[in-house]
Amino acid sequence: MTARRVASALRAAATASPVSGAGAQRHERIYQAISAAIIEHRLQPGARLREDALADVFGVSRTGIRKVLQRLAMDQLITLTPGKGASVTRPSAEEAREVFEARRLVECGAMLPLAQTLDAAGLTRLRALAAQEQQALEAGEQSAAIQCSAQFHGTLAALAGNQTLATFVVQLCSRSSLILAVYGNAGNLGCDCTDHQQLLELLEKGDGKAAAAFMAKHLEDIEASLSIGDEPQAVPDLQDVFAGYRR
């Protein structure tokens, strides 16, 4: 971006009227609805997201949709391409390897401090998430199981005492979901909830080294389950994807 364009953008931001509280809440709901559809694989990687169609679905202006899409792009859930618009991010094989490498570095490192600080309340919270994931799997509710798994990993990092780390783990889990959608086999949720239960047993014993080793194997098993292949880009029916959304 040239200096002139940067200056123009800054002037526009300075003179723009602030989003009202109600408008900000609506944008947040739309952001959550789209991100959930991506993470739960209802919007597949590569799917095009037309601004006009989204504006019609959610009953807002294209300007409002554009702001939401920019936020999703910052979170790397979608890709904005000049002249082509928005599409759900489709991770490359190299990106997939990098995400799992980052997860091993971050999540395994969190196990040592977590084993020393995890209390009864935290353990109960983690067990509840593992139980919810198991129930969702038994009920065939794949989307709910994916969400519970991501929450489980994010909560592990949060309970280790580092909220910045927890936020990073949540972002990595979101990207992992995209990777599973592209390279995972049918019905593959990535995480095995029985692994989560075994991990909690090690943490309850205070064995941080064993927990770190187990987490490494857990993430390696997920990565090993992936089958790299090409899939055509999809054009989703946005009215159908967001049929349950309430304005």
Side-chain angles (χ1 to χ4, degrees):
M1 181 179 287
T2 65
R4 180 177 296 178
R5 290 179 64 188
V6 170
S8 177
L10 289 173
R11 285 195 300 271
T15 58
S17 58
V19 179
S20 67
Q25 290 178 7
R26 170 174 274 190
H27 289 172
E28 177 65 24
R29 290 197 301 271
I30 296 171
Y31 168 84
Q32 293 296 339
I34 298 176
S35 61
I38 294 172
I39 292 169
E40 296 169 5
H41 305 171
R42 288 183 284 119
L43 284 173
Q44 293 292 317
R48 289 185 59 195
L49 301 175
R50 289 173 45 197
E51 287 183 5
D52 57 346
L54 288 170
D56 183 53
V57 167
F58 293 111
V60 297
S61 68
R62 291 183 63 173
T63 300
I65 287 297
R66 198 170 294 124
K67 291 179 180 178
V68 173
L69 293 177
Q70 289 170 349
R71 181 178 169 191
L72 289 164
M74 290 181 63
D75 290 341
Q76 298 182 317
L77 291 177
I78 71 166
T79 299
L80 296 176
T81 305
K84 294 184 179 180
S87 61
V88 178
T89 298
R90 182 180 174 84
S92 67
E94 181 179 0
E95 289 169 335
R97 287 190 290 269
E98 288 177 352
V99 166
F100 279 99
E101 181 180 1
R103 288 192 64 178
R104 283 191 291 272
L105 289 171
V106 174
E107 296 191 63
C108 294
M111 293 300 99
L112 288 172
L114 179 58
Q116 302 301 316
T117 60
L118 185 61
D119 57 16
L123 190 60
T124 298
R125 183 178 171 189
L126 289 166
R127 282 176 172 161
L129 286 171
Q132 290 172 19
E133 182 185 7
Q134 179 65 42
Q135 292 171 2
L137 286 172
E138 292 175 353
E141 298 174 352
Q142 181 171 345
S143 295
I146 291 170
Q147 292 278 25
C148 287
S149 178
Q151 289 177 26
F152 180 88
H153 281 265
T155 302
L156 282 172
L159 291 174
N162 190 321
Q163 190 56 52
T164 300
L165 190 70
T167 300
F168 185 42
V169 169
V170 169
Q171 293 173 344
L172 288 173
C173 286
S174 296
R175 295 183 69 186
S176 295
S177 180
L178 290 174
I179 292 165
L180 286 166
V182 175
Y183 301 116
N185 298 314
N188 180 17
L189 296 180
C191 286
D192 185 336
C193 57
T194 59
D195 275 7
H196 290 169
Q197 294 164 358
Q198 293 179 55
L199 178 64
L200 291 181
E201 291 176 3
L202 294 172
L203 290 172
E204 186 177 16
K205 295 176 182 176
D207 194 340
K209 289 185 179 180
F214 190 88
M215 176 64 81
K217 182 180 183 302
H218 175 60
L219 295 172
E220 287 168 359
D221 287 345
I222 298 173
E223 185 176 5
S225 72
L226 304 178
S227 299
I228 297 176
D230 294 325
E231 289 185 7
Q233 293 189 353
V235 179
D237 183 336
L238 297 177
Q239 292 284 355
D240 182 58
V241 171
F242 299 108
Y245 178 81
R246 295 183 179 180
R247 297 181 182 177

